[in-house]
Amino acid sequence: MKSSRLKMARKEEQQRVRDISPRQWKAIAITCGVVLGIALILFSADLFRAKRSNLPPLFCVPVIEYDNGSVDYYGLFYKVWKDYDPFDDETRYYMGFWFIPKNINI
């Protein structure tokens, strides 16, 4: 009696705790690779626009707007902030990652 209950309990535990099959690992790896590839493409396009052309980013969403005209944009794993200086009437764009402070930029 005891051994049959123990066998049933072990069988239920094995059903609950299943390892990930190699096929599932491949699917997870391919999905992560595709997401990172897309993020890299979007980041490089916005990097080119912000740093070289001094234009606003295409693939970011404006999140925070400041009183002086500066704006923080957030994209996929990165951020772009527009620094507007009203005295010089000059706009500069800086890039960094989400959790990096503004004084460290790319």
Side-chain angles (χ1 to χ4, degrees), residues 1-25:
M1 190 73 176
K2 216 177 202 186
S3 64
S4 65
R5 281 193 220 161
L6 184 60
K7 286 180 184 178
M8 287 177 57
R10 286 182 183 163
K11 189 175 181 179
E12 288 176 4
E13 183 179 354
Q14 286 176 353
Q15 287 177 349
R16 276 186 273 139
V17 181
R18 291 188 180 178
D19 290 335
I20 297 176
S21 69
R23 187 175 182 180
Q24 290 172 333
W25 274 114

Side-chain angles (χ1 to χ4, degrees), residues 3 10 12 22 25 29 40 44 53 57 60 72 78 80 89-91 95-96 99 102-104 106:
S3 64
R10 286 182 183 163
E12 288 176 4
W25 274 114
L40 183 65
S44 61
S53 305
C60 293
D72 287 352
Y78 64 96
V80 178
D89 195 31
E90 185 177 5
T91 304
M95 292 190 74
F99 302 111
K102 287 185 178 180
N103 58 2
I104 301 171
I106 297 174

Side-chain angles (χ1 to χ4, degrees), residues 17-82:
V17 181
R18 291 188 180 178
D19 290 335
I20 297 176
S21 69
R23 187 175 182 180
Q24 290 172 333
W25 274 114
K26 287 180 185 177
I28 291 170
I30 288 170
T31 304
C32 290
V34 167
V35 168
L36 289 176
I38 290 171
L40 183 65
I41 291 169
L42 299 178
F43 176 78
S44 61
D46 283 341
L47 180 68
F48 179 75
R49 283 182 59 88
K51 289 296 189 175
R52 306 240 178 177
S53 305
N54 203 24
L55 296 170
L58 288 176
F59 305 110
C60 293
V61 178
V63 177
I64 302 170
E65 296 182 6
Y66 298 100
D67 292 335
N68 66 347
S70 297
V71 180
D72 287 352
Y73 298 94
Y74 281 81
L76 192 61
F77 305 121
Y78 64 96
K79 65 181 175 181
V80 178
W81 54 92
K82 174 179 123 178

